[in-house]
Amino acid sequence: ENERNKLATVFLHMTDGIVAFSGEGAVIQFNPAAERFLGLKLTDTELRFDEIFGDIAPLSRVLDMGQDEVIEGEKENGSRSLDVFLAPFRGESAQGGILAVVHDVTEQRRSDEMRREFVANVSHELRTPITNVRSYAETLVDSAGDLPPETEQRFLNVILGESDRMTKIVQDLLALSRFDAGEMQFTMVPFDLTESAVKVYEAMRLDVEKHGIDLHISLPTEQLRVYGDQARIEQVIINIMTNAERYTPSGGSVTMELERSKDTIIVRVRDTGIGIPEEDIPHIFDRFYRVDKARSRAMGGTGLGLSIAYEIIKRHNGEIRIESKVGEGTAVSICLPRLEGAGT
Ligand code: ATP
Ligand code: MG
């Protein structure tokens, strides 16, 4: 009885699920984790080993195994993925039973899946520019100088453009992997966000207006001081401004607004562009996520910009929010903690 109580306490606090069966296949002990993982009421005396784990191995086979042998199997319970280990144990009276250990590997499977998807995405993104570079270079080599100079020039420009695109992808991926590894260095200083916003605004104005988009800026008169990595914050503002420009047809408008609330400073970029469907909004910060792959790629987008922006803002204890309506436009807001005690 004493041993049993000791075991029961150990079982209760284990994160793995444990079920012990008698040699006849009846449940003799289990812990709450096992019930939760398997989604079964194990107090139900009708439930036998073969009904629970028979799909992995029948009772008789497990009982016949050697003392140090284990059978490993997998089970699914709804959206949960489980790894199961089955091993026999011998009792004093030779009448032993089976011990089943259940691991919940749902998270692990999910992250394996994400990693696979990520690698597939990277390969896919690089394959197109590589193929283009190769075929244009090949044509140039094969033509041995016989092509009209304009055509040659055009081909060389394609090669340059595709090389730039690959460089951008690789740089973005390196940045993300540094964020993931916690290796990204930030140079944190107090600075005036108005200055950064105006800088980005000025740098982008000509280009945006060239696309037939009206650009506006709205600034409060007070200083809006924050503490952060100025270059990286500017990189984020450039990214959301570039998105607004990319996804707004000519004739539309883009507005940059700065605003101070009690503890935060908000930079908001509003556009009157194509908007983002509601079901895509939750995924918009995922790596390589694009609403319309073809359209974004044609614009030079890889779907990494917002995921990098998200990492940068997170490191500043800030927030980035998106509101959007298809056909009406999008507003992206970056909220950063306001630097206390700074001038008004
Ligand atoms: P990158 O920024 O890496 O060059 P990208 O612009 O395609 O590529 P993100 O900035 O991460 O990638 O944006 C992801 C997707 O979100 C875009 O492909 C686009 O579909 C959508 N999106 C982002 N901003 C807007 C916007 N202002 N209006 C409409 N759609 C947008
Ligand atoms: Mg972008």
Side-chain angles (χ1 to χ4, degrees):
E1 190 60 21
N2 197 7
E3 279 303 307
R4 219 183 136 81
N5 286 340
K6 236 195 287 180
L7 262 184
T9 310
V10 172
F11 280 8
L12 184 66
H13 298 292
M14 279 179 69
T15 48
D16 286 335
I18 301 273
V19 193
F21 296 90
S22 70
E24 285 77 42
V27 174
I28 49 180
Q29 209 165 19
F30 63 90
N31 66 353
E35 283 199 315
R36 204 167 59 241
F37 294 166
L38 294 164
L40 296 170
K41 272 262 147 279
L42 293 172
T43 38
D44 179 356
T45 48
E46 302 281 286
L47 263 182
R48 317 294 290 185
F49 177 89
D50 281 330
E51 280 158 68
I52 309 175
F53 295 120
D55 51 341
I56 296 172
L59 178 77
S60 53
R61 193 170 135 222
V62 187
L63 287 173
D64 284 343
M65 293 193 321
Q67 190 64 41
D68 46 12
E69 277 182 87
V70 182
I71 290 186
E72 197 183 333
E74 289 174 16
K75 260 184 107 63
E76 301 285 327
N77 168 31
S79 59
R80 255 190 227 274
S81 309
L82 306 171
D83 262 2
V84 178
F85 300 85
L86 303 173
F89 63 88
R90 311 262 177 264
E92 297 273 280
S93 53
Q95 224 302 347
I98 296 176
L99 196 66
V101 179
V102 186
H103 288 304
D104 184 353
V105 291
T106 316
E107 270 311 306
Q108 195 182 320
R109 290 280 148 77
R110 198 170 296 153
S111 77
D112 287 351
E113 177 60 31
M114 273 173 67
R115 201 161 332 164
R116 263 197 299 276
E117 212 173 280
F118 183 72
V119 172
N121 276 330
V122 173
S123 320
H124 186 80
E125 285 309 320
L126 290 174
R127 201 174 51 199
T128 317
I130 288 174
T131 310
N132 284 342
V133 166
R134 196 176 191 294
S135 54
Y136 281 95
E138 198 171 32
T139 313
L140 285 169
V141 169
D142 289 349
S143 74
D146 282 348
L147 287 174
E150 319 82 74
T151 311
E152 207 164 77
Q153 203 58 34
R154 193 159 52 80
F155 284 10
L156 288 169
N157 276 323
V158 171
I159 294 176
L160 264 184
E162 294 292 34
S163 310
D164 288 348
R165 182 175 173 75
M166 286 189 274
T167 307
K168 178 182 179 290
I169 296 174
V170 171
Q171 274 169 348
D172 283 355
L173 288 172
L174 275 174
L176 282 168
S177 92
R178 284 202 203 103
F179 281 122
D180 290 347
E183 281 167 6
M184 189 60 104
Q185 296 295 320
F186 279 74
T187 316
M188 306 291 273
V189 293
F191 68 95
D192 186 355
L193 204 51
T194 320
E195 216 175 85
S196 294
V198 170
K199 198 158 115 191
V200 174
Y201 174 83
E202 289 299 338
M204 296 191 62
R205 196 169 57 171
L206 281 182
D207 201 50
V208 175
E209 287 172 352
K210 211 167 66 195
H211 281 99
I213 298 168
D214 260 346
L215 187 59
H216 309 276
I217 189 164
S218 144
L219 300 168
T221 45
E222 59 185 333
Q223 275 202 340
L224 301 174
R225 286 165 68 77
V226 294
Y227 184 70
D229 187 316
Q230 188 165 2
R232 293 242 160 74
I233 294 293
E234 285 169 9
Q235 184 190 339
V236 172
I237 303 176
I238 290 174
N239 184 269
I240 59 176
M241 284 288 286
T242 309
N243 284 348
E245 175 187 7
R246 246 181 215 167
Y247 305 109
T248 302
S250 69
S253 73
V254 170
T255 309
M256 189 197 273
E257 300 162 351
L258 268 76
E259 194 177 286
R260 191 197 116 166
S261 72
K262 192 169 164 292
D263 309 309
T264 55
I265 290 175
I266 301 166
V267 184
R268 189 176 300 114
V269 175
R270 284 179 197 284
D271 65 55
T272 59
I274 60 172
I276 305 169
E278 203 179 324
E279 65 270 22
D280 291 299
I281 293 181
H283 304 288
I284 218 77
F285 296 104
D286 292 355
R287 294 169 189 191
F288 290 115
Y289 195 87
R290 284 160 299 191
V291 175
D292 179 343
K293 270 191 194 274
R295 178 180 186 138
S296 158
R297 193 179 292 146
M299 304 268 193
T302 42
L304 291 173
L306 283 178
S307 52
I308 293 176
Y310 178 86
E311 297 291 338
I312 294 174
I313 298 303
K314 192 172 80 182
R315 285 280 293 269
H316 284 79
N317 299 317
E319 245 186 289
I320 175 162
R321 291 195 218 114
I322 296 207
E323 291 156 89
S324 190
K325 264 216 160 69
V326 173
E328 288 183 20
T330 304
V332 183
S333 312
I334 308 168
C335 314
L336 292 168
R338 193 166 77 90
L339 190 59
E340 296 291 333
T344 45

